[in-house]
Amino acid sequence: DESELLTVPDGWKEPAFTREDNPKGLLEESSFATLFPKYREAYLKECWPLVQKALSEHYVNATLDLIEGSMTVTTTKKTFDPYAIIRARDLIKLLARSVPFEQAVRILQDDVACDIIKIGSLVRKRDTFIKRRGRLLGPKGSTLKALELLTNCYIMVQGNTVSALGPFSGLKEVRKVVLDTMKNIHPIYNIKTLMIKRELSKDPELRSQSWERFLPKFKKKNLKKRKEPKKKNTKKEYTPFPPPQPESQVDKELASGEYFLKERQKKRKRVEEIKAKQADAIKKRQEERNKAFIPPKEKPAVKTKKVSTEKKIDIEAIKEKVKNAKKKKLGAIPMEEVKLKMAADEKKKKKK
């Protein structure tokens, strides 16, 4: 029932841990230390007074050892919050991983947590690792910025680790996106899913329903077919009985009757077999030699047909031409032209 569902009012925050909750303080002193790389030394020297000031509010001491290259945080007698040392430990871890002090100091707040994701050992080849890490950043850091806006987390990609700082729900999403990117799943797919979830969370009716029908389902399209081996080893059917024992040489001789022959007869038989093999080999060799003396087959000569140059004369057509020529007088004007001239002369006479 909806009445039984636990609903948290908007803007509700857990009350802060005060000295009244633990008036007697801590019995034992706790401390944590972490190393930092050489290139962070100059920055830590500058911001260390600010780190000490921020931790002194929670009664935690911080020391910077530049010779050893380490940072140490310890509790004091005045420390009343037992979780303050854990937050101080996370603070120095983030500072060692190149997170700026302005962002790292937020870890001391109650509603902020951090997560350092190790990505160096997830990919074998160094070139592939650099490409996928660059894919997480995106062109001019656009992918990382979109991820920060959707998860409300600060994300820092440095070396072989990804440091994230923000609410618990956002850190969970960041870890998923980072690990998927290292497994060759583009972060844009996860960003699209996060955008849809963000819009769905605004609708109060959909809070108690499943969102699977709204979320996109991405499938791999460019799957490479596995190369099949040339020689396929087919497994034989299992039989509980052992294979039959192979026949020995004595068994073969007994079957053929050779076992009962005398030594001289066996020797003679062996010599005959060798001579038969030699004769076959000589015969084959001789046939190969004789191939060079066999003349090749010549192609039969094809007789070329003489093209007849004489053309068939159409006698009837010639006779008609001769008849037409006889009718016409040499130099005479054709009858059609004569008729046209006569018609023109008659017209002139009429006009006169």
Side-chain angles (χ1 to χ4, degrees):
D1 297 334
E2 290 184 5
S3 59
E4 293 180 5
L5 291 171
L6 180 66
T7 53
V8 180
D10 294 331
W12 180 86
K13 283 186 179 181
E14 193 175 345
F17 193 86
T18 58
R19 184 171 284 281
E20 293 172 4
D21 297 318
N22 187 17
K24 292 182 180 180
L26 305 176
L27 294 172
E28 296 290 335
E29 185 183 287
S30 303
S31 65
F32 288 102
T34 185
L35 299 171
F36 60 86
K38 186 74 177 173
Y39 61 84
R40 290 291 288 170
E41 188 176 319
Y43 180 77
L44 290 171
K45 265 172 112 176
E46 286 179 15
C47 70
W48 198 249
L50 297 170
V51 174
Q52 285 179 325
K53 188 181 177 182
L55 291 174
S56 64
E57 293 175 7
H58 298 271
Y59 304 101
V60 176
N61 286 336
T63 54
L64 178 68
D65 191 349
L66 296 173
I67 297 165
E68 194 181 337
S70 66
M71 294 178 280
T72 312
V73 286
T74 53
T75 56
T76 59
K77 289 180 180 179
K78 291 183 180 179
T79 309
F80 60 88
D81 187 0
Y83 202 72
I85 188 65
I86 303 296
R87 295 191 185 283
R89 179 202 65 181
D90 291 341
L91 173 64
I92 58 173
K93 269 189 181 180
L94 292 168
L95 289 169
R97 293 313 310 148
S98 298
V99 177
F101 171 75
E102 292 79 12
Q103 292 291 340
V105 78
R106 286 171 53 211
I107 194 67
L108 300 174
Q109 298 171 16
D110 286 339
D111 56 344
V112 178
C114 75
D115 189 9
I116 296 170
I117 307 154
K118 293 179 181 178
I119 57 172
S121 59
L122 296 174
V123 183
R124 287 184 183 178
K125 291 183 181 178
R126 186 70 184 170
D127 295 340
T128 313
F129 168 73
I130 291 163
K131 280 181 185 177
R132 290 181 187 174
R133 188 179 62 182
R135 194 182 292 168
L136 184 65
L137 292 166
K140 296 180 181 179
S142 57
T143 308
L144 198 68
K145 189 69 181 172
L147 200 61
E148 284 181 350
L149 291 168
L150 288 166
T151 56
N152 297 323
C153 293
Y154 173 81
I155 305 165
M156 181 73 187
V157 180
Q158 175 69 22
N160 294 334
T161 58
V162 177
S163 305
L165 190 77
F168 289 100
S169 58
L171 292 175
K172 189 180 176 184
E173 296 294 343
V174 169
R175 177 170 275 274
K176 184 182 179 297
V177 174
V178 170
L179 294 177
D180 283 353
T181 307
M182 288 293 122
K183 290 174 186 174
N184 203 20
I185 298 167
H186 204 281
I188 196 69
Y189 299 127
N190 287 311
I191 286 169
K192 279 185 181 179
T193 309
L194 287 171
M195 287 170 74
I196 293 162
K197 282 182 178 177
R198 192 179 188 180
E199 293 299 318
L200 291 169
S201 62
K202 292 176 183 177
D203 192 350
E205 292 180 4
L206 294 169
R207 279 186 180 177
S208 59
Q209 295 179 15
S210 178
W211 292 351
E212 284 185 9
R213 57 200 171 115
F214 301 109
L215 300 176
K217 292 177 182 177
F218 302 105
K219 291 181 181 178
K220 289 183 181 179
K221 291 180 182 179
N222 56 344
L223 285 170
K224 290 181 180 179
K225 289 184 179 178
R226 189 189 170 197
K227 290 182 179 178
E228 293 183 359
K230 289 181 180 179
K231 293 179 180 178
K232 290 184 179 179
N233 297 326
T234 53
K235 288 185 178 181
K236 295 177 182 178
E237 290 183 7
Y238 173 74
T239 52
F241 306 106
Q245 194 173 358
E247 289 185 346
S248 64
Q249 191 66 27
V250 176
D251 293 335
K252 289 176 183 177
E253 287 179 359
L254 284 168
S256 62
E258 200 177 323
Y259 183 79
F260 302 103
L261 294 174
K262 291 179 181 179
E263 192 64 34
R264 196 187 297 169
Q265 289 173 331
K266 286 180 183 179
K267 196 174 182 181
R268 193 188 301 160
K269 193 179 180 182
R270 268 189 247 117
V271 170
E272 284 174 3
E273 286 175 358
I274 291 164
K275 282 182 179 180
K277 281 182 183 178
Q278 286 175 351
D280 289 338
I282 291 163
K283 192 178 179 181
K284 284 178 183 177
R285 209 177 300 131
Q286 197 65 37
E287 284 175 0
E288 286 178 5
R289 284 178 185 172
N290 293 336
K291 280 180 185 177
F293 300 105
I294 297 167
K297 289 182 180 180
E298 294 182 0
K299 292 179 180 179
V302 181
K303 291 182 180 180
T304 54
K305 292 179 181 180
K306 289 183 180 180
V307 181
S308 58
T309 54
E310 296 177 1
K311 293 180 180 179
K312 290 180 180 181
I313 299 163
D314 195 355
I315 297 163
E316 296 294 330
I318 292 166
K319 282 180 180 179
E320 284 180 8
K321 282 182 181 179
V322 170
K323 282 179 183 179
N324 293 332
K326 281 179 180 178
K327 287 177 183 178
K328 290 180 183 179
K329 291 179 182 180
L330 290 168
I333 302 164
M335 287 298 291
E336 292 176 357
E337 290 182 11
V338 172
K339 286 177 181 178
L340 290 168
K341 278 186 178 182
M342 287 174 73
D345 290 338
E346 285 176 3
K347 283 179 182 180
K348 284 178 182 179
K349 285 177 182 179
K350 284 178 182 178
K351 285 178 182 178
K352 288 177 180 178

